[in-house]
Amino acid sequence: MPEYTPPLRDMQFVIHELFDAQSTFKGLPSYQEIDQETMNQIFEEAGKFASEIAFPLNQIGDHEGCTRADDGSVKTPTGFKEAYKQYIEGGWPSLSCDPQFGGQGLPQLVNSVLYEMLNSANQAWTMYPGLSHGAYECLHAHGTPEQKKMYLEKLVSGHWTGTMCLTEPHCGTDLGLLKTKAEPLADGNYSITGTKIFISSGEHDLAENIVHLVLARLPDSPKGSKGISLFAVPKFIVNADGSLGTRNPVTCGSLEHKMGIHGNATCVMNFDGAIGTLVGEPHKGLNAMFVMMNAARLGVGMQSLGLTEVAYQNSAAYAKERLQMRSLTGAKEPEKAADPIIVHPDVRRMLLTQRAYAEGGRAFTYWIALMIDTELNHPDESIRKETGEMVALLTPIIKAFLTDNAFTATNEGLQVFGGHGYIVEWGMEQYVRDARINMIYEGTNTIQSLDLLGRKVLGDMGKKLTKFGKIIETFIEEEGVRKEMQEFIDPLADIASKVEKLTKEIGMKAMMNHEEVGAAAVPYLRTVGHLIYAYLFARMAKIALANKSSDDPFYKAKLNTARFYFDKLLPETAMLIRQARAGSKSLMAMPAEFF
Amino acid sequence: MPEYTPPLRDMQFVIHELFDAQSTFKGLPSYQEIDQETMNQIFEEAGKFASEIAFPLNQIGDHEGCTRADDGSVKTPTGFKEAYKQYIEGGWPSLSCDPQFGGQGLPQLVNSVLYEMLNSANQAWTMYPGLSHGAYECLHAHGTPEQKKMYLEKLVSGHWTGTMCLTEPHCGTDLGLLKTKAEPLADGNYSITGTKIFISSGEHDLAENIVHLVLARLPDSPKGSKGISLFAVPKFIVNADGSLGTRNPVTCGSLEHKMGIHGNATCVMNFDGAIGTLVGEPHKGLNAMFVMMNAARLGVGMQSLGLTEVAYQNSAAYAKERLQMRSLTGAKEPEKAADPIIVHPDVRRMLLTQRAYAEGGRAFTYWIALMIDTELNHPDESIRKETGEMVALLTPIIKAFLTDNAFTATNEGLQVFGGHGYIVEWGMEQYVRDARINMIYEGTNTIQSLDLLGRKVLGDMGKKLTKFGKIIETFIEEEGVRKEMQEFIDPLADIASKVEKLTKEIGMKAMMNHEEVGAAAVPYLRTVGHLIYAYLFARMAKIALANKSSDDPFYKAKLNTARFYFDKLLPETAMLIRQARAGSKSLMAMPAEFF
């Protein structure tokens, strides 16, 4: 019953008007040829795939789930296999991959737009190609020439898929505890033995082969997280000529029954002496895996953006159709039995919350994607390094802020439907259930917050944050003199100075007591997230104001959404800052046995 | 896999120490005999039923759901019927019912304690007796002597159950639109025809008969909500001797597939000329139904309290067992592979959020239950009236504030479990799915907020609110002079004066523009909810301080939870007040077609 229309206009606004991506691409040798028209054509085609092929399978996937046969094989829901076939026939897996391995060499930004739409259409399905892309990036960065030759072309074309095997029953966050063993063999390969859980797309029927990237421990490894190595373990051993050989003993022991993302096979994977090859250096597996983790964290951000957008579209459509009660200021459509519920202020609050989080999230994720393109492609090393630092700073915010917001947004979407929102066939409750995992996997949002505050901000005494703050400061100085921008610049300057003060205060307290970091991290991350959205909405409002005499209602709507954001969502920081400043005392005082 | 232990100690604290219920009961003729020991014995027995009989069926009910056969009959999940049999054999349905009809004549407060535990154990199951109790209350208040004779004893004993049939496909909130028809028959009965949806416990196999309370429209009825009448429509016609006669044509057309509460049969009910009798006066059906709605709204509060408590218990147990990472201040259990996650400040934030919402919610709901006992039983009419007004003021807050908080709390509970929280067998995600409906049914939380701000507060120019405020003011004046209470009284006084100011401000704005009420209502309700919790936690802290030299760790824990509440949860009001004050402009500016 839900519908989905790719939001091409807003995507183009963000890419062409807000960030003028083409001018960035002009400075990046690999992307100099890319023009707006080419990008728009790709977006349009990607939108067709997402809305026409992937989207109709979303409720089917939720309803059917995956099934495992006694031999350990896994069947995906009806239509998933055919859609994946069309996906690889359309060349979509290769969009932003290295031409050396069959990729189309397009920017990460273009791939991000594709992923937003795929995730609006069908998050569970999108996780199959999504994790493959992460495996591609990891092997591309850390694989040996042999591994690249063996795996990359097939991952790029999508004929093979990839996974990420980290978690074990007794450890998720704390990977230092992991037990899976890797025994060196005489031929230079390794024999991998152990159990991994929560392996998304771990086994399925979409592709000929699956490349598992597995964290395991070598016999002589140091304890903890410094003794973990990374291995590539294929489902089928690959022969020297590239053909598939014997079945490797890596099998799906069972499928998890989950709250959502039913269409994705979440597997317990048993490695019983499975043959693998070392990726990167021994005991440096976590470093190699982090390439994939960072990509995955941005990927989770795109999932959440996608769900936010599709929930918004459906609840907005419902609110314009559903007749119930009269407007508080008198009947708006007196010829009808009641007014459409969009006349009610609180229904609009719920809709605009979703809309603002979709538009803010889009601006933020596309911005990062563009930074990644610069980080990976700029001819000047110092710019590559500097941009990489910005990406590192912002990645945990993308992950945690967008996933929290998407849970809020999908819940507001459900609420707009009233009782119907709770009924499966309307599709809104699936968005809530699917969105819920995003706050957990690829590092819980608490872990993201600790990464931001502890490592990225306090870890370098605020250097990266200060650099980022300069971007905002410059904008405030430039725009602060313009009267029509005052309604945006004043609160932006206010929250910027509060973040600066808060950071210093926590830094001081943390020197005395490390638990202050743990106590402040979650509200701190959300506060910085709002600083970023306030900055982005102010920039978007500036463009909207510049176009205020345009006939295009897009700019008026954008300006209104920005005003709503400053009025109703930014005030969350008033709570967050108080919570962060309240510190650790009332958290830590209670002895564990009192709980 | 989850566990549940009735929180008897905290229940007794609230009832005996915080509110000294017995002294209230001394002033109520019906309850003068009730002593603490009797109450405690009932709580203990009720806790056994909840934890030993209802609780083990919770995951089974979620997994199996209800099934409808072609003849329209509905089978409840395995064990539900047997548990219900034990429930009526134990006399639990009659606990707080009128002795004239076989009830035990115990206070509403005692029944509320029972319902907290039943809902912790199994919300879906509890809805069967829960709705019956509402039907009992409605017929007890508005039924004719014949209806009372025909139905009440069977509802009290639990041999028959009841439902509440309001919603139709095109109307939920806006009952004025309803179409179900009631045609008068020559014998004084009515023939009811129409379709009702979302009917909880509409059809099932637990009881011999089901009494549907149905809103329908008489032929000569005025338009809108002033033309709605209430009818009692039994599943089986009741013969003059009380035996069951022919099957009435009221049948379950289908069962809804829902996000949660799978164990409860949510039915589409078709009335095809079903025979019913009028309850109360013609065209005054909504008034009569409101007795039931108010009871149901408190009932939804109890559901949310129950879920909050059980989610807390399980995540606290998990956090004490699950080993992952080391404390930020160095290993706390160095002999183990890692520290239990309860050492981490943010895990404690999640646990204490649940705990504070459970303890605050318990104090609030039990307080209201005690007020209801006074409202219904006090010999002095003016006290009955005054207390009734307090109950009316607080009911929408109970409904919306507790259900929002329970959704937050159950989600925090899930999050503590990390990836395991997302897996069905651990049971945590069910609490989230079950809790989600509570924000919607019996009037969405937006409707509750409009009821509070528009009708209950501004509707009498703040008179009821001012009266309620006096209770808090008196406490502030009495305790404000004590230094050890300062940490609680200062923020309480602050939020009390802010609520007063905010109310006046919205009142002034509302006179100019009614949409200001709609724009402010939701954050306003939560702000008042926090005022109440701040007051209750301050009172609880006072008792804890008075017992600070006690060996009982209960008081230390209570004091700590109160401190946590003031530090970390009350600051939400800083956001809410800003949102409420921001008004309607950015909500209403955007034309509907821009959405």
Side-chain angles (χ1 to χ4, degrees):
Chain A
M1 301 249 290
E3 309 226 325
Y4 172 60
T5 307
L8 298 174
R9 177 69 178 90
D10 199 55
M11 291 170 157
Q12 289 164 6
F13 169 80
V14 170
I15 293 171
H16 307 316
E17 296 182 68
L18 178 61
F19 295 126
D20 187 11
Q22 207 182 336
S23 79
T24 302
F25 292 148
K26 288 256 170 294
L28 308 178
S30 331
Y31 303 141
Q32 278 168 348
E33 307 298 310
I34 295 163
D35 58 28
Q36 291 195 10
E37 204 178 330
T38 311
M39 281 192 267
N40 291 349
Q41 277 168 1
I42 296 169
F43 301 156
E44 204 165 310
E45 288 305 312
K48 280 183 196 162
F49 180 87
S51 60
E52 294 169 15
I53 311 295
F55 183 66
L57 303 174
N58 190 46
Q59 286 186 288
I60 295 169
D62 184 58
H63 181 65
E64 290 185 12
C66 296
T67 45
R68 176 184 169 278
D70 288 343
D71 64 358
S73 66
V74 171
K75 200 182 158 310
T76 54
T78 305
F80 272 42
K81 194 173 171 171
E82 293 68 27
Y84 187 74
K85 191 162 170 273
Q86 284 181 264
Y87 186 72
I88 60 179
E89 281 169 5
W92 295 110
S94 68
L95 208 60
S96 67
C97 294
D98 187 344
Q100 206 189 327
F101 302 99
Q104 298 178 54
L106 286 162
Q108 180 64 40
L109 174 63
V110 175
N111 209 43
S112 295
V113 175
L114 167 68
Y115 269 83
E116 182 200 317
M117 292 192 273
L118 292 177
N119 280 306
S120 280
N122 195 330
Q123 173 169 332
W125 182 90
T126 303
M127 289 170 71
Y128 295 102
L131 282 155
S132 288
H133 191 78
Y136 156 81
E137 288 189 358
C138 183
L139 285 171
H140 190 265
H142 294 282
T144 62
E146 292 74 27
Q147 284 167 334
K148 289 185 181 183
K149 185 164 174 292
M150 188 172 285
Y151 295 122
L152 287 186
E153 276 193 25
K154 292 290 192 178
L155 286 172
V156 167
S157 72
H159 287 92
W160 297 357
T161 64
T163 78
M164 195 159 132
C165 299
L166 287 73
T167 304
E168 299 183 5
H170 62 288
C171 68
T173 298
D174 195 354
L175 290 170
L177 300 174
L178 70 81
K179 291 175 180 168
T180 296
K181 282 181 198 164
E183 298 276 347
L185 300 172
D187 62 1
N189 290 329
Y190 295 83
S191 166
I192 314 288
T193 302
T195 298
K196 297 286 180 178
I197 64 168
F198 300 159
I199 309 308
S200 299
S201 319
E203 178 60 63
H204 56 78
D205 54 3
L206 305 185
E208 297 154 13
N209 202 6
I210 302 174
V211 189
H212 303 285
L213 292 176
V214 189
L215 290 180
R217 209 173 266 291
L218 288 166
D220 56 344
S221 69
K223 278 198 173 178
S225 60
K226 284 172 185 158
I228 297 172
S229 307
L230 183 65
F231 299 88
V233 181
K235 176 177 171 183
F236 289 99
I237 302 286
V238 184
N239 297 323
D241 65 355
S243 66
L244 297 184
T246 53
R247 181 73 165 83
N248 212 356
V250 42
T251 50
C252 170
S254 64
L255 291 176
E256 301 286 3
H257 299 104
K258 311 180 298 288
M259 185 183 195
I261 51 166
H262 295 163
N264 194 271
T266 306
C267 303
V268 174
M269 296 301 294
N270 297 321
F271 295 81
D272 299 310
I275 305 300
T277 53
L278 183 69
V279 180
E281 290 173 56
H283 315 318
K284 302 269 164 113
L286 281 188
N287 290 349
M289 195 54 119
F290 260 113
V291 171
M292 199 163 167
M293 282 294 278
N294 277 328
R297 284 169 183 178
L298 296 177
V300 178
M302 299 317 295
Q303 292 176 336
S304 292
L305 169 58
L307 290 174
T308 302
E309 172 66 29
V310 73
Y312 167 68
Q313 287 190 16
N314 283 283
S315 52
Y318 186 80
K320 285 188 269 188
E321 276 166 23
R322 173 79 171 173
L323 306 179
Q324 208 79 173
M325 312 295 279
R326 290 294 178 189
S327 160
L328 292 164
T329 49
K332 292 289 173 287
E333 306 200 12
E335 72 290 359
K336 292 185 179 160
D339 286 333
I341 61 172
I342 201 164
V343 305
H344 304 302
D346 197 61
V347 170
R348 286 169 164 257
R349 176 191 60 77
M350 295 190 262
L351 295 176
L352 285 163
T353 299
Q354 298 174 76
R355 186 179 174 119
Y357 278 144
E359 294 183 6
R362 186 170 295 121
F364 188 22
T365 51
Y366 289 11
W367 191 24
I368 299 260
L370 203 54
M371 287 188 205
I372 293 174
D373 286 325
T374 302
E375 176 192 1
L376 299 177
N377 295 285
H378 202 280
D380 182 337
E381 199 198 324
S382 69
I383 289 178
R384 286 205 304 276
K385 186 167 170 283
E386 201 165 89
T387 316
E389 284 173 357
M390 282 301 105
V391 172
L393 175 73
L394 300 175
T395 296
I397 307 174
I398 287 272
K399 200 284 182 180
F401 196 57
L402 265 82
T403 60
D404 281 350
N405 295 345
F407 193 61
T408 300
T410 52
N411 269 297
E412 299 289 13
L414 187 161
Q415 192 76 15
V416 168
F417 279 69
H420 300 283
Y422 199 66
I423 305 299
V424 172
E425 65 178 329
W426 288 85
M428 299 306 289
E429 59 88 44
Q430 185 189 343
Y431 296 134
V432 173
R433 288 186 288 106
D434 287 355
R436 188 63 186 84
I437 189 59
N438 299 349
M439 299 153 82
I440 301 170
Y441 63 13
E442 313 307 349
T444 66
N445 287 359
T446 298
I447 292 297
Q448 304 301 326
S449 304
L450 288 167
D451 179 46
L452 174 71
L453 179 56
R455 197 177 313 176
K456 307 283 172 65
V457 172
L458 301 180
D460 73 354
M461 307 286 281
K463 254 172 65 185
K464 275 193 285 293
L465 183 73
T466 305
K467 229 175 227 176
F468 179 71
K470 284 268 184 293
I471 301 171
I472 296 175
E473 216 174 274
T474 307
F475 178 75
I476 293 171
E477 274 173 26
E478 278 170 14
E479 300 299 324
V481 291
R482 292 178 49 207
K483 199 165 174 224
E484 64 174 2
M485 280 297 285
Q486 212 172 328
E487 61 176 311
F488 306 110
I489 295 298
D490 288 353
L492 173 62
D494 178 60
I495 185 63
S497 86
K498 280 176 177 155
V499 166
E500 196 186 338
K501 229 172 105 183
L502 179 65
T503 308
K504 280 184 190 146
E505 184 178 309
I506 300 171
M508 296 299 284
K509 283 160 81 178
M511 284 194 280
M512 313 294 284
N513 178 2
H514 289 314
E515 265 152 4
E516 291 296 326
V517 177
V522 166
Y524 181 82
L525 181 142
R526 281 197 67 78
T527 305
V528 181
H530 275 299
L531 167 62
I532 296 167
Y533 277 28
Y535 166 66
L536 291 169
F537 269 114
R539 280 185 61 178
M540 293 192 279
K542 180 189 161 185
I543 300 169
L545 284 167
N547 287 277
K548 67 184 163 188
S549 49
S550 158
D551 288 338
D552 188 348
F554 178 88
Y555 296 105
K556 289 188 181 65
K558 182 64 78 181
L559 194 60
N560 193 88
T561 307
R563 286 182 174 137
F564 169 82
Y565 173 79
F566 280 92
D567 261 13
K568 301 285 186 179
L569 299 182
L570 183 60
E572 189 190 344
T573 53
M575 167 183 79
L576 295 166
I577 291 170
R578 279 164 176 77
Q579 288 172 330
R581 296 188 68 194
S584 68
K585 206 173 155 200
S586 66
L587 297 173
M588 305 313 294
M590 193 135 96
E593 62 272 22
F594 287 10
F595 279 86
Chain B
M1 302 250 289
E3 310 226 325
Y4 173 61
T5 308
L8 297 174
R9 178 69 178 90
D10 199 55
M11 291 169 157
Q12 289 164 6
F13 169 81
V14 170
I15 293 170
H16 307 316
E17 295 182 70
L18 178 60
F19 295 126
D20 187 12
Q22 207 181 336
S23 77
T24 301
F25 292 147
K26 289 255 171 292
L28 308 177
S30 333
Y31 304 140
Q32 277 168 349
E33 307 297 309
I34 296 161
D35 59 26
Q36 290 196 10
E37 204 178 327
T38 311
M39 282 191 267
N40 290 349
Q41 276 169 2
I42 296 170
F43 301 157
E44 204 165 307
E45 288 306 312
K48 279 183 196 163
F49 180 87
S51 60
E52 293 170 16
I53 311 294
F55 183 66
L57 304 175
N58 190 45
Q59 285 187 287
I60 294 169
D62 184 58
H63 182 63
E64 290 184 12
C66 296
T67 43
R68 177 184 170 279
D70 288 341
D71 64 358
S73 65
V74 170
K75 201 182 158 307
T76 54
T78 305
F80 271 42
K81 194 173 171 170
E82 293 68 27
Y84 188 73
K85 191 161 169 277
Q86 285 181 264
Y87 186 71
I88 61 178
E89 281 168 5
W92 296 111
S94 67
L95 209 58
S96 66
C97 294
D98 188 345
Q100 206 190 326
F101 302 98
Q104 299 178 53
L106 286 162
Q108 181 63 40
L109 174 64
V110 175
N111 209 45
S112 294
V113 176
L114 166 68
Y115 268 82
E116 182 200 316
M117 293 192 274
L118 291 177
N119 281 306
S120 280
N122 196 329
Q123 174 169 332
W125 183 88
T126 304
M127 288 170 72
Y128 295 103
L131 282 156
S132 288
H133 191 77
Y136 156 81
E137 289 189 357
C138 182
L139 285 172
H140 191 265
H142 295 280
T144 61
E146 292 73 30
Q147 283 167 336
K148 289 185 183 182
K149 186 165 173 292
M150 189 174 284
Y151 296 122
L152 286 186
E153 274 192 26
K154 293 291 191 177
L155 286 171
V156 167
S157 71
H159 286 91
W160 297 356
T161 64
T163 77
M164 194 159 131
C165 300
L166 287 73
T167 303
E168 300 184 4
H170 62 287
C171 68
T173 297
D174 195 354
L175 290 170
L177 299 176
L178 71 79
K179 291 177 183 166
T180 296
K181 281 181 198 163
E183 299 276 346
L185 300 173
D187 62 1
N189 291 328
Y190 295 82
S191 166
I192 314 287
T193 302
T195 298
K196 296 285 179 178
I197 64 167
F198 301 160
I199 307 309
S200 300
S201 317
E203 178 58 64
H204 56 77
D205 54 3
L206 303 185
E208 297 153 14
N209 202 5
I210 302 174
V211 189
H212 302 285
L213 291 176
V214 188
L215 290 180
R217 208 174 266 290
L218 288 166
D220 56 346
S221 69
K223 278 199 173 179
S225 60
K226 285 171 184 159
I228 298 171
S229 308
L230 182 65
F231 300 87
V233 181
K235 176 176 170 184
F236 289 99
I237 302 285
V238 184
N239 296 323
D241 65 354
S243 65
L244 296 185
T246 52
R247 182 74 164 82
N248 212 357
V250 41
T251 51
C252 170
S254 64
L255 291 175
E256 300 285 4
H257 299 104
K258 311 180 299 288
M259 185 185 196
I261 51 166
H262 294 165
N264 193 271
T266 306
C267 302
V268 174
M269 295 301 295
N270 297 321
F271 295 79
D272 299 309
I275 305 299
T277 52
L278 182 70
V279 180
E281 292 172 55
H283 316 318
K284 301 270 164 115
L286 281 186
N287 290 349
M289 195 55 120
F290 260 113
V291 171
M292 199 164 167
M293 282 294 280
N294 277 326
R297 283 169 183 178
L298 296 176
V300 178
M302 299 317 295
Q303 292 176 335
S304 292
L305 169 59
L307 291 173
T308 302
E309 173 66 31
V310 73
Y312 167 68
Q313 287 189 18
N314 283 283
S315 52
Y318 186 80
K320 285 189 270 189
E321 276 166 22
R322 172 78 173 176
L323 307 177
Q324 207 81 171
M325 311 296 279
R326 289 295 180 190
S327 160
L328 292 164
T329 50
K332 291 289 172 287
E333 304 201 12
E335 72 289 358
K336 291 184 179 159
D339 286 332
I341 61 173
I342 201 165
V343 305
H344 305 301
D346 197 61
V347 170
R348 286 170 164 256
R349 175 190 60 78
M350 294 190 262
L351 295 176
L352 285 163
T353 299
Q354 296 175 78
R355 186 179 174 119
Y357 279 144
E359 294 183 6
R362 186 170 295 120
F364 188 22
T365 52
Y366 290 11
W367 191 24
I368 297 260
L370 203 53
M371 287 188 205
I372 293 174
D373 285 325
T374 302
E375 176 193 1
L376 299 178
N377 295 286
H378 202 282
D380 183 338
E381 200 199 324
S382 70
I383 290 180
R384 286 205 304 275
K385 186 167 171 282
E386 199 165 89
T387 316
E389 284 174 358
M390 281 302 104
V391 172
L393 176 74
L394 299 175
T395 296
I397 308 175
I398 287 272
K399 200 285 181 178
F401 195 57
L402 264 83
T403 59
D404 280 350
N405 295 345
F407 193 61
T408 299
T410 53
N411 268 298
E412 298 289 13
L414 187 162
Q415 191 76 14
V416 169
F417 279 69
H420 300 282
Y422 199 67
I423 305 299
V424 172
E425 66 179 327
W426 288 84
M428 299 305 289
E429 59 87 45
Q430 185 189 343
Y431 297 134
V432 173
R433 287 185 290 105
D434 287 355
R436 188 64 184 85
I437 189 59
N438 299 349
M439 299 153 83
I440 300 171
Y441 63 14
E442 313 307 349
T444 67
N445 287 359
T446 298
I447 293 296
Q448 303 301 326
S449 304
L450 289 168
D451 179 46
L452 175 71
L453 180 56
R455 197 175 315 174
K456 307 285 171 66
V457 172
L458 302 181
D460 72 355
M461 306 286 283
K463 254 172 65 185
K464 277 193 284 293
L465 183 73
T466 305
K467 229 176 228 176
F468 179 72
K470 283 268 182 292
I471 301 171
I472 296 175
E473 216 174 274
T474 306
F475 179 75
I476 292 171
E477 273 173 26
E478 278 170 13
E479 299 300 325
V481 291
R482 292 178 51 207
K483 198 164 174 223
E484 65 175 3
M485 280 296 286
Q486 212 173 328
E487 60 176 312
F488 307 109
I489 295 298
D490 288 353
L492 173 62
D494 178 59
I495 185 66
S497 85
K498 281 176 177 155
V499 165
E500 197 187 336
K501 228 172 104 185
L502 179 64
T503 308
K504 281 185 190 146
E505 184 178 308
I506 299 171
M508 295 299 285
K509 284 160 79 178
M511 285 193 280
M512 313 293 285
N513 178 2
H514 289 314
E515 264 151 5
E516 289 297 325
V517 177
V522 165
Y524 181 82
L525 182 143
R526 281 197 67 77
T527 305
V528 181
H530 276 299
L531 167 62
I532 296 167
Y533 277 29
Y535 166 67
L536 291 169
F537 269 114
R539 279 185 63 176
M540 294 193 277
K542 180 189 163 187
I543 301 169
L545 285 167
N547 287 279
K548 68 184 163 191
S549 50
S550 158
D551 288 338
D552 188 349
F554 178 88
Y555 297 105
K556 290 188 181 64
K558 182 64 77 180
L559 194 60
N560 192 89
T561 307
R563 285 183 175 136
F564 168 82
Y565 173 80
F566 279 92
D567 262 13
K568 302 285 187 179
L569 299 182
L570 183 61
E572 189 191 343
T573 53
M575 167 183 79
L576 295 166
I577 291 170
R578 280 164 176 75
Q579 289 171 330
R581 297 188 67 193
S584 67
K585 204 173 156 198
S586 67
L587 297 173
M588 304 315 293
M590 193 136 96
E593 62 270 23
F594 287 11
F595 278 86

